[in-house]
């Protein structure tokens, strides 16, 4: 009960630390997990922007490109990039000294919609290149086939988010080449993957692939060439693994910017009534 009361206090404060525009979509989610992931994603963006710029929480403003990618509008002329993704049990965040950065996280379900791995891969074949399909289908077990599928999906989502393209009709024009000598499993940190677009190597990108835990993989895409002042240039070989942060820490320097009636009680009660996912 005590932990639930603590969560309620944090939740009611958090929803009031977002702008009305940032908050608007949260109540629309049917499931509790999706609403909470949306809330955390917006908080992480604002929390990180505040820490990176040193500006007051209230003065930070996000806007979206025509393709829907969020970017920091105020303070203006910032050079760094921020991106979030949520799926399964996690919300993932990545940043870079360049504005072009994308992250994707996927829950590694070994089967979907009661289909075998081959059936599922075949149903999504239009999104994969011939080489990607060959790699997926050649894996020795059902679980390994699905893990390879999610690996490619993470990579494609990450590069689309980095470029700001959003949804792309011909995902099969992106052809990811993975090095099987780099073992892709929990504890891995793989940076050898490359991508071709319409058969041409896209050498401007670097991909970082790792796992949040045994059931969730993630990929980050960022520009290979970074500004001289970028702190990561001090040690290019540094492995930046994902780390977990608490709900409370996200509100460390937060300010109320959208005060709600009853201090957000009605919104919290509606949130608690939402059904939970069964996965």
């Amino acid at each position: 009960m005590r932990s639930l009361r603590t969560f309620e206090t944090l939740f009611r404060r958090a929803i009031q630390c977002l702008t009305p525009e940032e908050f608007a979509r949260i109540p629309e989610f049917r499931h509790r997990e999706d609403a909470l992931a949306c809330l955390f994603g917006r908080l992480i963006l604002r929390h990180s922007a505040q820490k990176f710029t040193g500006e007051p929480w209230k003065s930070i403003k996000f806007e979206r490109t025509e393709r829907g990618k969020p970017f920091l509008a105020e303070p203006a002329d910032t050079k760094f990039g921020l991106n979030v993704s949520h799926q399964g049990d996690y919300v993932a965040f990545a940043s870079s000294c360049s504005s072009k950065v994308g992250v994707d996280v996927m829950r590694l379900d070994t089967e979907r919609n009661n289909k075998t791995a081959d059936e599922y891969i075949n149903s999504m074949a239009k999104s994969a290149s011939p080489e990607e399909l060959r790699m997926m289908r050649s894996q020795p077990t059902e679980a390994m086939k699905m893990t390879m599928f999610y690996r490619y999906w993470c990579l494609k989502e990450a590069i689309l988010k980095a470029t700001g393209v959003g949804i792309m009709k011909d995902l099969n024009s992106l052809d990811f080449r993975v090095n099987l000598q780099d073992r892709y499993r929990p504890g891995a940190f793989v940076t050898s993957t490359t991508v071709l677009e319409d058969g041409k190597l896209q050498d401007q990108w670097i991909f970082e692939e790792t796992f949040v835990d045994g059931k969730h993989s993630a990929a980050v895409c960022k520009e290979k060439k970074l500004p001289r002042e970028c702190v990561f240039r001090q040690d290019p070989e540094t492995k930046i693994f994902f780390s977990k942060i608490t709900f409370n820490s996200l509100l460390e320097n937060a300010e109320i910017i959208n005060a709600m009636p009853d201090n957000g009680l009605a919104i919290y009660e509606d949130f608690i009534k939402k059904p939970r996912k069964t996965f």
Side-chain angles (χ1 to χ4, degrees):
M1 288 297 293
R2 186 174 183 180
S3 60
L4 184 60
R5 286 196 297 270
T6 299
F7 174 80
E8 177 184 348
T9 299
L10 291 171
F11 182 93
R12 291 169 64 181
R13 175 170 171 75
I15 58 176
Q16 297 178 88
C17 293
L18 301 177
T19 65
E21 294 78 16
E22 291 169 336
F23 167 76
R25 189 157 180 251
I26 295 172
E28 296 176 0
F29 286 98
R30 179 173 181 268
H31 291 102
R32 196 185 306 180
E33 292 86 354
D34 292 331
L36 197 58
C38 184
L39 171 61
F40 284 168
R42 281 153 170 64
L43 285 175
I44 289 173
L45 285 174
R46 185 168 281 274
H47 166 82
S48 301
Q50 193 279 323
K51 289 188 75 71
F52 292 166
T53 64
E55 296 292 323
W57 184 276
K58 289 182 178 180
S59 68
I60 291 167
K61 181 180 179 182
F62 283 94
E63 294 182 359
R64 290 183 179 270
T65 66
E66 292 183 359
R67 299 287 186 133
K69 182 178 181 179
F71 68 93
L72 189 59
E74 293 181 17
D77 301 322
T78 52
K79 305 298 183 185
F80 59 83
L82 310 170
N83 199 237
V84 295
S85 171
H86 55 84
Q87 210 269 338
D89 301 329
Y90 290 96
V91 178
F93 166 83
S95 64
S96 177
C97 298
S98 158
S99 62
K100 293 182 179 179
V101 59
V103 61
D104 194 59
V105 61
M106 291 292 293
R107 180 184 173 95
L108 301 178
D109 296 326
T110 55
E111 59 183 73
R112 283 276 182 98
N113 301 325
N114 295 317
K115 294 179 180 179
T116 66
D118 285 327
E119 288 172 339
Y120 192 77
I121 290 168
N122 288 340
S123 72
M124 304 294 287
K126 291 182 179 180
S127 299
S129 71
E131 175 62 14
E132 290 168 347
L133 286 172
R134 186 191 70 80
M135 288 289 291
M136 286 185 274
R137 290 167 174 162
S138 66
Q139 299 305 304
T141 68
E142 291 276 299
M144 291 175 71
K145 288 178 180 181
M146 290 304 295
T147 296
M148 187 63 75
F149 169 82
Y150 286 120
R151 179 179 187 178
Y152 284 131
W153 197 263
C154 263
L155 287 163
K156 296 198 179 193
E157 287 284 351
I159 194 172
L160 292 179
K161 294 172 81 173
T163 58
V165 169
I167 298 173
M168 183 177 175
K169 288 184 179 179
D170 300 321
L171 279 175
N172 57 5
S173 67
L174 294 173
D175 179 12
F176 281 92
R177 301 299 175 93
V178 299
N179 184 350
L180 293 182
Q181 291 183 341
D182 287 330
R183 303 192 70 177
Y184 185 71
R185 62 184 183 184
F189 189 88
V190 177
T191 59
S192 59
T193 297
T194 57
V195 65
L196 291 81
E197 184 172 4
D198 295 324
K200 296 179 181 178
L201 179 64
Q202 304 298 301
D203 197 38
Q204 70 271 39
W205 303 110
I206 187 168
F207 300 94
E208 297 173 344
E209 299 178 81
T210 186
F211 284 75
V212 183
D213 62 17
K215 293 184 178 180
H216 295 77
S217 66
V220 175
C221 172
K222 62 183 181 181
E223 286 187 296
K224 186 178 294 184
K225 186 176 180 180
L226 295 174
R228 288 186 174 276
E229 64 271 16
C230 183
V231 65
F232 299 119
R233 289 181 64 92
Q234 296 176 9
D235 184 3
E237 301 303 317
T238 299
K239 297 179 179 180
I240 311 296
F241 289 97
F242 285 95
S243 58
K244 296 178 182 178
I245 56 176
T246 66
F247 196 174
N248 189 58
S249 67
L250 288 177
L251 299 173
E252 183 181 6
N253 295 313
E255 299 175 274
I256 300 294
I257 54 179
N258 179 30
M260 297 181 176
D262 299 324
N263 196 29
L265 177 60
I267 300 298
Y268 175 75
E269 290 176 341
D270 287 342
F271 167 79
I272 290 297
K273 292 176 184 176
K274 290 179 183 291
R276 304 195 70 163
K277 286 185 171 180
T278 56
F279 66 78

